[in-house]
Amino acid sequence: MKLPFIGQKKKPSARILHETQFSGLGEAGAAASLPVHCRASVRSREQVQVSRMRGRIWLCMAAFLAVFFGLSLRLADLTVLGTAEARHARTQSAPVAATERPLIVDRNLNRLAMNQEVVGAGVTTRDVWDLEETARKLTAVFPKLNEDSLRERLEQKKYIPLTENLSEDQYQKLAAFGLPGVEFVTSVKRVYPQGAQAAHVLGYTVPGRGGAAGLEKVVDLHTAEGPLVSSLDIRVQQILEEELWRTSTTFSAKAAWGIVMDVTSGEIIALASLPEYNPNEPGESHVSSWRNRAMYDVYELGSAFKILTAASALEAGVTDTTRLYDVRHPLKVRNRTISDYHPKGGFMTLTEVMQHSSNIGMARIALDLGADTLAIYLKALGMTSPLVTELPEQRAPLLPAQWGEVEMATISYGHGIAVTPLQLTAAVGAVINGGDYIQPTFLKRDPSAPQSRTALFSADTSATMRLMLRRVITDGTGRNADVPGYYVIGKTATADKPSPYGGYKKDERLSSFIGAFPGYDPRYVVLVSFDEPQPTAETYGYATAGVVAAPAFQRIVSRSAPLLGLQPVADDLAFAQFMSAFREKQEMRLALAPREAMAQGADVHPDQVAKLLAELGP
């Protein structure tokens, strides 16, 4: 008996490929059908499977060759074509990510902020082949990267930005490595060609968000064509920063700031705050360096406030340059005892109170003026509310809880009230420019355009203050600030820093000097301040304003004045200018005197008037 299928051949399979049927007539003319003819292809099942496998193999080989060929081209592009021309060709095709922003220039059209096309690099992690190799080679190009940390980030399969701006050396190394997944990205970056200069005025930008501070915030709202023209003079800005750094280094100051303002227009010519930062790489500096201390921080600025108190008292008519004040003993005001840093004793005129910076004398003047009147003048001078400019940085002053006798006495010499340095600078500018308060601005003003001015002091009061402040330089605490030929005026201000537990710290102080040049016809007011300067052997253990801030002011003026078109003058011209306001007032009084005398029946000869005018000097 045979088992099923044993020794039997498999039946061949037939597939009909083509089928036809013919019809025709037989011999007898009757219809007849011809048999159907079929063509058959006989193939075994194994042959069909082999044929299919061969087709799949060829298809896989073709796909592999295509991928290999594409990778070869990419590798050649990265290694062979890594030249400057190839770099330029690749970057031109990349999209520009940053929005075009207007230039920022100084008043002389020097570029302060501009746009520049840069090439950066990043990693598309899903395209990375070898994590170990990629992490190792990238840390070789960017030493600040941690290899282990970078490897972990690569494993997360998220895009990793490496830098926005590659150096030529970094670019060449990355191109030579040809690491899969590492890409070059072109963008438009905001750059600051002056580096850290004027950083606190310019501010910086945040990608995708625009300006984050300073004038960069103003640019976001700038709709006019052309660049944004600032009021800054980059030459004076450099001088200001250099002298602040020089003095800060000498006296190991914790911080410093300075301002140069045109008192005739309110334009800020220079403003600096130390420590500084580089707006090209703001993240490289400590966050405290970003603070604009001249506009955002408030301080008790000490004796500089005596300028405001004296001017207010003169304008209100409660004092004059001949009135005497008793400074023999400390002054007791309710529960507060006021004393002088360097007691002189005796009696002092208003000019001497300013000259020797007497707290006792100035407190007596403030008490005569009255709390309400002094508060009115301080409000008009912008001391009681935030100072608004084009820049977003501003800070509300710290005011006393009440305006009583004790508060008025201490505020008269700059204690008990904290304002920003720019607020004080603008207020002093109003005192010495003829009496008009002008709102500060960081944009260049059109000289022909009308300006907003608030008349606070008479020309007579302003001229009297200029003479008193000149006396501070020639015979008082500001001798180290004098600049030959410019007859500078100003006031020292040494203020103990308040303690968080009440009272004041005797070993921590602010040393400041605020003054103007030329003193006989002020054009620019300058403030320099140093936070916690330390005494040196050269200053015999002192770190007061007269030995710290006054010399810095002197160097700033002597270097800046010629650049600003101001030349030294002779004594006679300076004297005539100092006395011009008094001469005009006296001329008017003398011109009316003969008429008044004749109305009373007196005989007044014109020669008498001429003689009186001659006594006033040239």
Side-chain angles (χ1 to χ4, degrees), residues 7 24 49 57 61 74 98 108 125 164 224 238 260 276 291 320 335 382 448 486 490 502 511 592:
Q49 291 177 349
I57 291 173
M61 290 179 62
R74 176 60 177 164
N108 300 312
T125 54
E164 291 182 349
Q238 179 177 348
V260 180
E276 61 189 3
R291 279 182 21 225
D320 56 41
N335 63 341
S448 62
Y486 290 99
S511 293
L592 294 175

Side-chain angles (χ1 to χ4, degrees), residues 47 54 61 122 178 275 293 297 318 326 363 416 418 453 480 592 603:
Q47 289 176 327
R54 287 176 178 173
M61 290 179 62
R293 288 170 168 78
D297 286 358
V318 301
D326 185 0
R453 294 169 172 262
N480 290 331
L592 294 175
D603 184 13

Side-chain angles (χ1 to χ4, degrees), residues 403-481:
W403 296 79
E405 287 186 340
V406 173
E407 290 75 23
M408 288 302 100
T410 58
I411 285 175
S412 71
Y413 54 86
H415 279 195
I417 184 172
V419 299
T420 67
L422 184 57
Q423 281 181 294
L424 177 66
T425 304
V428 172
V431 172
I432 53 102
N433 72 355
D436 293 343
Y437 183 85
I438 305 174
Q439 193 80 1
T441 179
F442 288 88
L443 301 181
K444 186 176 181 179
R445 280 180 169 157
D446 183 356
S448 62
Q451 293 184 10
S452 176
R453 294 169 172 262
T454 304
L456 300 181
F457 305 104
S458 67
D460 187 32
T461 296
S462 185
T464 302
M465 290 301 303
R466 291 197 294 268
L467 282 175
M468 284 196 295
L469 293 173
R470 178 59 186 164
R471 186 75 173 271
V472 173
I473 303 298
T474 58
D475 303 302
T477 58
R479 292 183 180 90
N480 290 331

Side-chain angles (χ1 to χ4, degrees), residues 188-201:
V188 175
K189 184 181 180 181
R190 194 67 163 173
V191 297
Y192 304 87
Q194 307 297 337
Q197 283 189 29
H200 292 93
V201 177

Side-chain angles (χ1 to χ4, degrees), residues 467-540:
L467 282 175
M468 284 196 295
L469 293 173
R470 178 59 186 164
R471 186 75 173 271
V472 173
I473 303 298
T474 58
D475 303 302
T477 58
R479 292 183 180 90
N480 290 331
D482 203 8
V483 182
Y486 290 99
Y487 302 90
V488 299
I489 59 177
K491 182 73 185 72
T492 54
T494 304
D496 294 332
K497 298 180 68 173
S499 170
Y501 308 105
Y504 290 85
K505 303 175 182 178
K506 295 300 181 182
D507 57 344
E508 295 181 9
R509 66 189 62 84
L510 292 177
S511 293
S512 305
F513 188 91
I514 187 164
F517 67 99
Y520 51 82
D521 184 19
R523 178 67 187 275
Y524 301 100
V525 62
V526 179
L527 169 68
V528 288
S529 298
F530 300 90
D531 188 3
E532 299 184 22
Q534 302 303 310
T536 66
E538 290 75 12
T539 60
Y540 303 98

